[in-house]
Amino acid sequence: MIEITVNGKRRTIAAGATLGDLLRALDLDARWVVAELNGEPLEKGRMTSVVLASGDSLELVRAVAGG
Amino acid sequence: MQAPETRTARDPLVIAGRAISSRLLVGTGKFTSPEVMAEALDASGAEIVTVALRRVDLDSREPNLLEFIDRERYLLLPNTSGAESAEEAVRLARLARAAGLSDWIKLEVTPDPKWLLPDPVETLRAAEMLVKEGFTVLPYIGADPVLARRLEEAGAATVMPLGSPIGSSRGLKTRDAVAIIVEQAGVPVVVDAGLGAPSHAAEAMELGADAVLINTAIAVARDPVQMARGFRLAVEAGRAGYLAGAAGPRERAEASSPLTGFLGEGG
């Protein structure tokens, strides 16, 4: 198991887990989620296949209503 | 008689080389439900609709906004709301682009939570960075004609001066400054905030604004769908008035009917 930070909170995930695995575990539909890994935005196409590493800081963002 | 489509096609709003079918841009915030929002967007006739980016709340399930916005029909305009510095705005813009939302960005940098007035220095700095990175930048600004010029020189695709503070519904309090911006601008001028009633939107359009962006006034109306329609008509009315060229006020009365040939007039 490894520890990462997701939206400011620590979280333990399996070593070798991808972002896609994490989104499934969080019950989030990858179609609607945008991710920033260690300050760098992840391109939509390759987002779910990115393998997470110990100490990674992940921001999960999405479009919400706004003016 | 021309069909309305033909007239629109002859007078399109062009932003960054793209013809936009409606001069009314609509925000998606504050609606009571995504269903009402979708219906109001439809009634507004808008092509450009704004969205914000926020952290996913991992502890609750909310409906996904984008499921209610037909991307074939609407051009999404993500905003950088929440940004208090140029760097934060750029970060949000990059996220929006990576997410495939858009490389058009409504740039707003509003560090002051009370008035939500845009920071001119950070906005200009962010615009310069974003233009360099290939974004189409639509900056929200105070109604400052000098800043508008500077942003245009920096490569902004529009300038979006406020009518009055965001969400205040006070109308076009910046009328004189917006008139100067309109007179100077080589890019479309979109009056962005504070327009609270269709008449305010018509006033801005008559003054020569190229478009208006409305959110609160539609979203919090008792009947948002009807209000969206009201704004659509007002924007069209104001634009027609502007294109037609108003005669302007006169000091004295000037009869509209002939002043001769009255019945019973002497020889």
Side-chain angles (χ1 to χ4, degrees):
Chain A
M1 302 293 274
I2 57 171
E3 198 171 74
I4 62 171
T5 306
V6 184
N7 288 5
K9 285 187 186 159
R10 295 219 171 150
R11 196 168 194 102
T12 309
I13 60 167
T18 63
L19 179 50
D21 297 331
L22 176 67
L23 292 178
R24 267 188 296 281
L26 293 169
D27 193 24
L28 290 172
D29 188 332
R31 282 180 302 165
W32 313 120
V33 176
V34 187
E36 188 191 67
L37 184 60
N38 304 322
E40 290 298 321
L42 294 177
E43 293 299 327
K44 198 77 181 163
R46 67 180 193 98
M47 184 177 90
T48 52
S49 57
V50 168
V51 177
L52 299 168
S54 181
D56 273 350
S57 177
L58 190 65
E59 289 284 347
L60 299 177
V61 174
R62 69 168 164 187
V64 299
Chain B
M1 283 291 289
Q2 297 162 2
E5 299 76 35
T6 317
R7 276 188 274 119
T8 311
R10 281 192 191 166
D11 176 36
L13 168 65
V14 178
I15 299 177
R18 174 173 170 152
I20 305 295
S21 61
S22 170
R23 292 176 180 273
L24 174 58
L25 286 60
V26 176
T28 58
K30 299 187 189 172
F31 285 92
T32 51
S33 75
E35 289 83 4
V36 171
M37 176 204 75
E39 215 182 319
L41 290 185
D42 179 50
S44 76
E47 178 174 340
I48 297 182
V49 300
T50 64
V51 297
L53 285 177
R54 288 292 181 275
R55 257 184 181 174
V56 175
D57 181 355
L58 298 175
D59 301 319
S60 80
R61 288 283 87 91
E62 297 150 329
N64 287 300
L65 177 75
L66 295 183
E67 291 184 63
F68 296 87
I69 301 175
D70 178 1
R71 303 275 297 273
E72 299 288 309
R73 172 170 174 187
Y74 300 108
L75 175 64
L76 280 188
L77 180 61
N79 68 33
T80 63
S81 64
E84 297 186 357
S85 67
E87 284 73 19
E88 287 173 18
V90 169
R91 183 183 179 191
L92 284 162
R94 286 177 182 155
L95 260 175
R97 177 158 73 181
L101 288 179
S102 181
D103 55 8
W104 287 37
I105 194 83
K106 178 187 165 187
L107 172 61
E108 44 178 307
V109 186
T110 54
D112 165 35
K114 182 175 178 193
W115 295 102
L116 292 171
L117 292 173
D119 182 320
V121 178
E122 293 299 300
T123 302
L124 180 58
R125 225 157 55 75
E128 287 166 347
M129 291 192 259
L130 290 168
V131 167
K132 226 173 262 174
E133 294 188 22
F135 284 92
T136 296
V137 183
L138 294 78
Y140 167 61
I141 58 172
D144 177 346
V146 179
L147 177 62
R149 283 292 280 273
R150 293 288 300 267
L151 281 160
E152 187 178 332
E153 285 160 17
T158 63
V159 287
M160 305 213 292
L162 56 84
S164 47
I166 294 176
S168 71
S169 292
R170 293 174 54 205
L172 192 60
K173 297 298 176 195
T174 54
R175 183 186 167 94
D176 293 352
V178 168
I180 297 172
I181 293 174
V182 165
E183 197 244 313
Q184 292 186 345
V187 292
V189 177
V190 183
V191 175
D192 184 355
L195 303 181
S199 55
H200 299 159
E203 182 185 1
M205 296 303 294
E206 265 178 44
L207 191 62
D210 296 278
V212 298
L213 197 160
I214 308 291
N215 188 347
T216 302
I218 294 175
V220 308
R222 186 164 44 79
D223 182 344
V225 177
Q226 189 73 343
M227 190 59 91
R229 183 168 165 272
F231 271 101
R232 175 170 65 76
L233 296 171
V235 166
E236 284 178 23
R239 180 66 182 175
Y242 169 72
L243 291 176
R250 301 266 155 91
E251 275 292 305
R252 301 191 175 193
E254 215 170 282
S256 311
S257 309
L259 293 172
T260 56
F262 296 116
L263 295 181
E265 240 175 340

